[in-house]
């Protein structure tokens, strides 16, 4: 007489029905491979499930990938959706592996103390990063391919990838920075590529009061226009509700102590070579001012002494090698 608790390996049958202990019978047909240990068959079944899950995830992405890309029209959301599909496929594979070993989700339990410790130490930071990643994808402060700058470290680079847990930045120094989303949301991030890639730069120049001020302004503006990356003219550029002139414009900033301070504002077509563009503009300004009736001012001070400036007495200690002998006809110290 066969009892209900006999496993499929002992009775010669393998059925996926539940046993009296509450666990599921393994779907692996042990009776088809007599003489082979059960653990080897289970391991082989796990490998087969993982291989099938891998190729199934690739097939699903291949079939639905372009549709998802057209649907979201944002690389970050597209990659997140594709990762979610792959995760769902491998989750099904994990449930299948549990089924192979005759386990159910209810069989995997932890005590309240252990579960609380795991949540507090491991899961909580991960969940925080995932929540921050959801807000990043929803707020869209930057997108994959944008050039951004971390203000606190003056680090610039391109956004390489955005996941639910971290943001990957490819810096201009040919290095990678991986920042958790929970951290990057608390930092000031400058986006140079959002909506309009044109970026405005400025250059402060101080010229002497003796030079021709109008000529200095014309020379500075012309020097900036001669750089290829600088916008030479065109309609005003709108920033919010304000509009600013597109061509380089030199303003009188202030009448400083050592000269007249001029401020040049100019727009760059692309933000990818800001330092090189600024260097070219400054080189042109330096070369143009050398041949003009304009001189760049530098800090200097004039000290003038006359009879009304007072007197300063200098004395040397007695006994010094070069000290003069005291005058007997003079009262007081030398």
């Amino acid at each position: 007489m066969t009892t209900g608790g006999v496993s499929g390996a002992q009775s010669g049958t393998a059925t996926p029905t539940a046993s009296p202990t509450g666990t599921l019978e393994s779907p692996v047909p042990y009776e088809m491979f007599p003489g082979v240990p059960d653990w080897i068959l289970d391991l082989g079944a796990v490998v087969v499930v993982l291989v099938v899950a891998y190729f199934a995830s690739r097939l699903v992405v291949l079939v639905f990938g372009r549709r998802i890309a057209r649907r979201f029209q944002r690389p970050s959301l597209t990659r997140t959706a594709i990762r979610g599909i792959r995760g769902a496929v491998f989750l099904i594979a994990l449930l299948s592996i549990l089924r192979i070993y005759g386990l159910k989700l209810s069989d995997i339990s932890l005590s309240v103390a252990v579960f609380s410790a795991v949540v507090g130490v491991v899961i909580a930071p991960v969940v925080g990063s995932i929540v921050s990643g959801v807000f990043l994808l929803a707020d869209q402060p930057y997108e994959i391919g944008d050039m951004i700058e971390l203000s606190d470290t003056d680090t610039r680079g391109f956004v390489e990838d955005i996941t639910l847990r971290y943001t990957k930045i490819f810096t201009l120094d040919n290095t990678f920075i991986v920042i958790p989303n929970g951290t990057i949301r608390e930092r000031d991030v400058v986006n140079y590529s959002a909506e309009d890639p044109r970026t405005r730069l400025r250059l402060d120049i101080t010229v002497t009061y003796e030079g021709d001020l109008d000529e200095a302004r014309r020379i500075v503006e012309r020097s900036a226009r001669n750089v290829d990356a600088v916008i030479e003219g065109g309609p005003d550029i709108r920033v919010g509700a304000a509009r600013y002139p597109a061509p380089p414009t030199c303003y009188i900033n202030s009448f400083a102590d050592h000269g007249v301070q001029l401020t040049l504002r100019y727009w760059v077509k692309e933000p990818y070579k800001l330092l090189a563009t600024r260097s070219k503009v400054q080189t042109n300004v330096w070369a143009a001012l050398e041949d003009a009736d304009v001189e760049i001012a530098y800090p200097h001070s004039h000290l003038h002494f006359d009879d009304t400036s007072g007197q300063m007495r200098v004395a040397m200690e007695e006994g010094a090698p070069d000290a003069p002998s005291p005058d007997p006809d003079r009262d007081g110290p030398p």
Side-chain angles (χ1 to χ4, degrees):
M1 180 175 181
T2 305
T3 61
V6 179
S7 64
Q10 296 174 344
S11 63
T13 60
T15 57
T17 58
S19 64
T21 59
T23 59
L24 294 176
E25 296 287 347
S26 175
V28 179
Y30 299 103
E31 70 280 358
M32 296 181 60
F33 304 94
V36 180
D38 294 350
W39 69 271
I40 294 181
L41 295 178
D42 292 341
L43 182 60
V46 170
V47 173
V48 171
V49 170
L50 293 178
V51 172
V52 172
Y54 173 76
F55 286 101
S57 64
R58 291 178 62 91
L59 179 62
V60 172
V61 172
L62 183 63
V63 174
F64 297 100
R66 292 188 177 182
R67 298 181 182 180
I68 295 174
R70 290 194 297 265
R71 172 68 177 175
F72 293 107
Q73 297 181 352
R74 289 179 54 194
S76 58
L77 294 180
T78 301
R79 294 187 183 183
T80 302
I82 291 176
R83 291 190 182 100
I85 293 175
R86 290 177 177 171
V89 173
F90 281 98
L91 178 61
I92 297 174
L94 176 61
L95 297 177
S96 301
I97 292 174
L98 295 179
R99 178 72 178 276
I100 291 174
Y101 288 98
L103 298 175
K104 296 188 301 183
L105 294 178
S106 58
D107 297 328
I108 304 175
S109 60
L110 296 174
S111 63
V112 176
V114 175
F115 182 77
S116 301
V118 171
V119 170
V121 176
V122 179
I123 299 181
V126 176
V127 172
S129 296
I130 292 176
V131 173
S132 299
V134 173
F135 280 106
L136 282 177
L137 295 174
D139 297 339
Q140 306 179 31
Y142 48 79
E143 186 53 75
I144 295 176
D146 286 353
M147 180 180 177
I148 65 175
E149 177 183 356
L150 303 178
S151 300
D152 54 347
T153 59
D154 293 332
T155 301
R156 294 181 184 177
F158 297 92
V159 179
E160 182 72 14
D161 195 7
I162 304 174
T163 68
L164 290 177
R165 295 186 297 108
Y166 62 83
T167 297
K168 189 175 183 181
I169 302 174
F170 186 65
T171 68
L172 300 183
D173 298 328
N174 198 26
T175 59
F176 277 109
I177 299 179
V178 178
I179 305 176
N181 291 330
T183 302
I184 199 170
R185 290 189 67 241
E186 300 175 356
R187 307 170 71 171
D188 294 333
V189 179
V190 180
N191 192 336
Y192 289 96
S193 305
E195 299 180 359
D196 191 347
R198 294 175 297 184
T199 305
R200 191 177 71 176
L201 300 178
R202 58 178 295 170
L203 174 64
D204 293 328
I205 306 172
T206 303
V207 298
T208 60
Y209 285 99
E210 294 80 8
D212 189 339
L213 191 59
D214 293 334
E215 183 181 1
R217 297 175 61 184
R218 289 192 298 267
I219 290 175
V220 171
E221 294 175 354
R222 184 172 62 251
S223 300
R225 283 195 299 267
N226 292 335
V227 179
D228 295 336
V230 176
I231 299 177
E232 299 180 9
D236 293 343
I237 297 177
R238 182 174 181 178
V239 180
R243 293 182 179 273
Y244 299 94
T249 307
C250 186
Y251 299 94
I252 299 177
N253 193 333
S254 64
F255 295 100
D257 295 335
H258 305 288
V260 181
Q261 186 178 27
L262 305 178
T263 298
L264 170 67
R265 290 180 176 178
Y266 58 97
W267 291 86
V268 180
K269 300 176 183 178
E270 296 178 348
Y272 308 124
K273 296 181 179 180
L274 297 180
L275 181 59
T277 303
R278 183 186 293 111
S279 178
K280 291 180 180 179
V281 171
Q282 294 181 153
T283 301
N284 289 353
V285 171
W286 179 269
L289 291 181
E290 283 186 345
D291 301 330
D293 187 20
V294 179
E295 182 180 357
I296 297 178
Y298 58 91
H300 60 277
S301 300
H302 292 282
L303 301 179
H304 179 70
F305 296 94
D306 55 15
D307 296 338
T308 62
S309 301
Q311 297 180 354
M312 181 177 63
R313 301 183 61 184
V314 178
M316 300 183 65
E317 295 182 358
E318 295 184 5
D322 298 333
S325 60
D327 187 359
D329 297 334
R330 182 177 177 181
D331 296 334

